[in-house]
Amino acid sequence: MKQLIRLPALALLLAAAALPSMAADSPAPLLTLDEAVEIATENNHLIGAADADVAAAEAMTQESRSGRLPRLDLLETFSRTTNPVFVFGNKLNQGTFTPSDLDFDTLNNPDALNNVNTMLRVRYAIYSGGKVSGAVEASGYAREAAEAGRERTRQEVVRHVVETYSGAVLASAHLEVAREALGTARANVDMISDLREGGLVVESDLLQARVRQSEVEEMVIRAESAVAVARAAVNLTLGRDLDTPFSLPDRIDPVQEPDLPLETLIEEARAARPDLRSAGRQVQAAEQSVRVSRAGRRPEVGIDGLVEANAPELFDSYATNWSVFIGARIPIYDGNEAKGKVRRAEAEALRARQMHDLLRQSVSLETRQAFHDLRASRKSLEHAAYAVDLARESLRMIQDRYREGLANLVELLDAETSLTRARAREVGTRREMLLNHAQLELATGRL
């Protein structure tokens, strides 16, 4: 199985800090990103469906190759008849025909006759006009397309694992931000309450601070719900029961990597993308299907061999005979059926080529977008981290000024809200950078 994302760096993007976020309350094992990917590639239903597509394509290849081999059938038939022709023939085949059977009355009105027929038949197509070879080639390309499609599905599942896993980490981080904001709000309420008792602030300040505390408590409740949903989404992606317990790292630590030139990434994507390779194989399979449909206009030549035994009853002595036939089928007029099949196959081949060309262009666009999104998220993270430092220092200064009566409550609450917003933005930007990195890996076919 492929390792998670070609770059070891992405595995480090979710490196744990000191402790898992919920380890203090639960013995649930830490789930790393690499472990999540491994579990998903074994259990995810989309990958299982892609495996089934590959198995079906392999079976189709085996089916098409059977056209190159002879067909051997054993036929067993029991009949009882008074049909004069059948009675006459069956008696000859059984070797029981006698002179008395030449009596006209007997010939015209025979008694009912039993016949047990055992036949071994061999059939072999000497020439099929290219149907068999074309079908074998088409099925081979279809199998390769299915295999490439499975690899693309695996990459997309890995991308989804990164998304849900980082979403769960993000939800936990937002919960931590909300809890810290609640701690700050409570500390402000305590501080204002002390100042109110000393007659330094008015009652309305204390009431507004308590309103702010109530709002943050609601924020914590919503964040706790988001954590529960995000963790269930991780288990769904991994193909596990939604209540399977696990713990997560408590933060996202993105790392910086040197940028490759955009044109290099585009060329790499065109060479490595499995879905583009799958589309190319589908074009080749469609072209072979055109060849198969055109073979319907050509003659076919085959050989049949028969060995049969006939007896009046199941365990009587059998009379045997054998026959060999060589035959040809030459199409003369089929009501334009073959022509219609050719036109349909050509249209399907044209569609496959058009979709391949469209996908090739889309690969370039996806790579460009992922490249620029990643660069933008790196810069956004720098600004977000800087904003957190500014907001934290601003809150400290305003708290000091409020104690001295130099700032009002609105300024204090605004500073507190700004810090909460800045920390939430930084957490979200870290995840955004991770997702953009994974998207670039997916766009270039390296995930």
Side-chain angles (χ1 to χ4, degrees), residues 8-78:
L10 190 52
L12 298 175
L13 292 174
L14 293 173
L19 292 172
S21 59
M22 303 181 67
D25 301 322
S26 172
L30 174 67
L31 179 68
T32 67
L33 182 57
D34 281 332
E35 290 171 344
V37 169
E38 183 177 357
I39 294 171
T41 52
E42 292 177 356
N43 299 331
N44 188 273
H45 298 301
L46 290 176
I47 294 179
D51 288 338
D53 288 340
V54 172
E58 291 173 346
M60 185 175 67
T61 300
Q62 181 182 15
E63 178 184 349
S64 61
R65 287 175 178 170
S66 68
R68 293 174 170 173
L69 302 175
R71 300 293 300 269
L72 181 63
D73 298 305
L74 178 63
L75 308 176
E76 190 73 27
T77 305
F78 171 79

Side-chain angles (χ1 to χ4, degrees), residues 130-149:
K131 283 184 180 179
V132 173
S133 58
V136 170
E137 291 290 334
S139 64
Y141 291 132
R143 185 191 71 251
E144 293 177 9
E147 291 171 348

Side-chain angles (χ1 to χ4, degrees), residues 282-321:
Q282 290 173 13
V283 170
Q284 292 173 300
E287 290 172 347
Q288 289 300 320
S289 295
V290 174
R291 174 185 170 192
V292 171
S293 62
R294 288 173 178 168
R297 299 173 172 178
R298 302 189 183 103
E300 296 180 8
V301 180
I303 183 171
D304 285 84
L306 301 175
V307 176
E308 66 174 316
N310 293 272
E313 302 295 339
L314 183 60
F315 298 108
D316 282 0
S317 58
Y318 285 84
T320 60
N321 63 80

